[in-house]
């Protein structure tokens, strides 16, 4: 019987896995870069492209076929239910695509951290603390304000 207890370690591994797959790709899906470029090519402004991406992603995520279709392609480094992994991957890829649209370097560790912060919302300060970023500094405050 698989161990489906979700621990902090498993969540960390899931986030790292989802980010890596969002940036480098899963066969049959667009990377965050490709997703961003696709939406930017169809709209006359970055903001319109972002809004369209969010609407499309929310609609697509709501369909079980999309998420269950990912299940066969996903090989997780930890035992986490596939539905949680799929939603995490979809959301991280969308956030990373938006960051790319806004000109951020997805290979930058600080950008990766901010993608996780966007995903987690309430737990943002904990992530910032764990990564050694002081949320109270002027530089970080300005960086957070620039995030879409």
């Amino acid at each position: 019987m698989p161990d489906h207890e979700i621990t902090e370690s498993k969540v960390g591994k899931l986030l790292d896995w989802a980010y890596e797959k969002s940036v480098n790709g899963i066969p049959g899906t667009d990377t965050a870069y490709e997703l961003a470029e696709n939406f930017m090519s169809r709209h006359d402004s970055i903001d319109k492209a972002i809004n369209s991406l969010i609407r499309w992603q929310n609609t697509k995520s709501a369909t079980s076929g999309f998420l269950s279709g990912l299940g066969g392609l996903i090989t997780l480094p930890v035992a986490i239910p596939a539905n949680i992994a799929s939603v995490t991957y979809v959301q991280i890829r969308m956030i990373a695509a938006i960051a790319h649209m806004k000109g951020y370097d997805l290979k930058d560790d600080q950008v990766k951290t901010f993608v996780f912060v966007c995903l987690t919302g309430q737990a943002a300060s904990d992530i910032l603390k764990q990564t050694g970023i002081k949320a109270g500094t002027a530089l970080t405050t300005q960086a957070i304000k620039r995030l879409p």
Side-chain angles (χ1 to χ4, degrees), residues 5-136:
E5 179 183 349
I6 298 175
T7 64
E8 187 176 333
S9 171
K10 286 181 182 179
V11 170
K13 288 178 183 174
L14 171 63
L15 291 174
D16 286 337
W17 171 88
Y19 192 82
E20 187 274 325
K21 295 300 182 192
S22 294
V23 172
N24 297 318
I26 290 177
T29 64
D30 288 341
T31 65
Y33 296 110
E34 293 164 336
L35 191 61
E37 297 298 326
N38 181 11
F39 276 84
M40 287 190 305
S41 72
R42 293 188 280 150
H43 298 280
D44 59 3
S45 78
I46 300 283
D47 289 339
K48 286 180 183 176
I50 290 170
N51 288 335
S52 178
L53 169 62
I54 292 169
R55 280 191 311 275
W56 175 82
Q57 197 70 66
N58 287 338
T59 301
K60 190 97 168 157
S61 292
T63 64
S64 60
F66 175 70
L67 296 177
S68 62
L70 283 177
L73 298 174
I74 294 176
T75 304
L76 292 173
V78 292
I80 295 237
N83 60 335
I84 293 172
S86 296
V87 169
T88 302
Y89 163 75
V90 166
Q91 294 300 312
I92 285 179
R93 185 179 68 147
M94 179 181 68
I95 297 164
I98 292 168
H100 176 67
M101 288 180 190
K102 288 293 194 170
Y104 291 93
D105 178 5
L106 299 182
K107 302 285 186 187
D108 184 307
D109 284 340
Q110 190 171 20
V111 172
K112 179 179 176 181
T113 298
F114 285 134
V115 168
F116 293 165
V117 167
C118 289
L119 178 71
T120 61
Q122 295 290 333
S125 66
D126 290 339
I127 289 176
L128 291 173
K129 287 177 193 172
Q130 289 173 7
T131 59
I133 297 173
K134 302 286 187 254

